[in-house]
Amino acid sequence: MQALALAEQTKNVFQQAIDATIPIGPYQLHWLELIGVLIGLASAYLGMRRWVWAWPVGILANIMLFFVYLGAVFGADERIPLFGQAGRQVFFIVTSIYGWWRWSQVRRLNHAGDASGVAITPRWATSRERVGVVVFWLVGTVVVHQAFVWLWNLSPNPFFTPQWWFYWCDAWIFVGSIVATYAMARGWNEFWLAWIAVDLIGVPFAFATDYVPTAVLYTFYGLFVIYGFTQWVKASRVDERDVEPQLAGTPS
């Protein structure tokens, strides 16, 4: 008991911030996870509106959630470390920097006079792009699954013994999140569908690993994604109608 008390006292400010909780019955709600998922939801809303600010806001959430999912590794608490959830935050940041740059460039070139503030015109991916995405997702899941098994065996968690599905779920969410974020940066309508595929695994996985705020976010985000998808499809149809009269009047 004395050793445990000493360990609590020797935690630095960084570890204390990761481990800060709100007791709700038998469950401990972690502050950093709650704030991170709320900021992530705000980023999703800005993305639906096609505003450039979606990317920097999302990066802030990614940084916070990276430390949440690896809290046990940093010695902050005894929760299950999710390498896939943490690793995808790093890829989110990299892809978000690309998306931030691309949306800023497109807005500057094509939507400079748009008072609505939209940064990009959504479109459907081509057949070739869709095939490439599906292949990348499936092959990537197999490769990442093996990498996660290897990482876990290097440093197994004494508080949790994963079952066979654990690595597959973590890998599916990891690769699917990369696909969805890249598709969003490209302005493809399919990025919403990719998020739905991620949520179908992500919600039960988060509940199973005791990351309740993340699970609740995925649940609400799944409903939000359906609405966002309809808005992007509607916007792409409007843009197509705007282009048709110009094309009809263009000399051959």
Side-chain angles (χ1 to χ4, degrees):
M1 294 296 294
Q2 292 181 346
L4 181 60
L6 181 61
E8 290 291 331
Q9 294 176 1
T10 56
K11 283 185 178 180
N12 56 39
V13 176
F14 171 70
Q15 291 172 325
Q16 292 175 10
I18 297 176
D19 203 25
T21 60
I22 309 171
I24 303 178
Y27 179 74
Q28 298 294 318
L29 178 63
H30 287 71
W31 270 107
L32 197 62
E33 183 182 0
L34 177 62
I35 296 173
V37 296
L38 290 177
I39 294 176
L41 186 59
S43 174
Y45 172 77
L46 295 174
M48 183 196 69
R49 298 296 302 271
R50 293 180 285 150
W51 290 353
V52 175
W53 275 103
W55 299 104
V57 171
I59 289 174
L60 177 60
N62 299 148
I63 294 173
M64 297 176 72
L65 292 175
F66 172 81
F67 292 107
V68 167
Y69 296 131
L70 286 187
V73 174
F74 293 109
D77 57 28
E78 298 178 356
R79 293 198 297 170
I80 303 167
L82 301 181
F83 295 113
Q85 293 280 7
R88 75 178 185 145
Q89 305 304 320
V90 176
F91 278 89
F92 278 163
I93 293 172
V94 174
T95 310
S96 293
I97 293 173
Y98 166 72
W100 190 357
W101 170 82
R102 189 171 190 278
W103 280 30
S104 298
Q105 291 294 104
V106 172
R107 173 167 166 70
R108 188 176 298 113
L109 293 174
N110 301 330
H111 302 276
D114 188 351
S116 67
V118 299
I120 199 167
T121 300
R123 69 173 176 88
W124 292 101
T126 64
S127 297
R128 183 176 181 179
E129 289 168 338
R130 290 175 183 173
V131 170
V133 164
V134 171
V135 171
F136 175 82
W137 198 335
L138 295 177
V139 174
T141 298
V142 174
V143 173
V144 171
H145 167 272
Q146 296 302 315
F148 287 168
V149 171
W150 177 74
L151 284 172
W152 191 277
N153 290 334
L154 282 180
S155 180
N157 188 301
F159 307 103
F160 177 72
T161 301
Q163 300 183 38
W164 67 268
W165 50 262
F166 177 86
Y167 305 107
W168 286 112
C169 290
D170 212 13
W172 174 268
I173 295 169
F174 176 80
V175 180
S177 299
I178 297 173
V179 167
T181 308
Y182 174 76
M184 177 181 172
R186 299 294 298 175
W188 299 343
N189 290 328
E190 287 86 350
F191 101 84
W192 297 102
L193 301 179
W195 276 126
I196 291 175
V198 170
D199 288 344
L200 289 174
I201 301 298
V203 170
F205 182 69
F207 275 119
T209 51
D210 205 29
Y211 286 86
V212 176
T214 297
V216 174
L217 170 68
Y218 279 159
T219 302
F220 282 101
Y221 188 65
L223 301 175
F224 176 79
V225 161
I226 296 174
Y227 175 74
F229 175 64
T230 63
Q231 296 304 299
W232 270 46
V233 171
K234 185 186 299 183
S236 63
R237 288 174 179 170
V238 170
D239 291 328
E240 287 176 359
R241 288 197 298 268
D242 291 341
V243 171
E244 284 175 359
Q246 300 176 18
L247 294 177
T250 303
S252 57

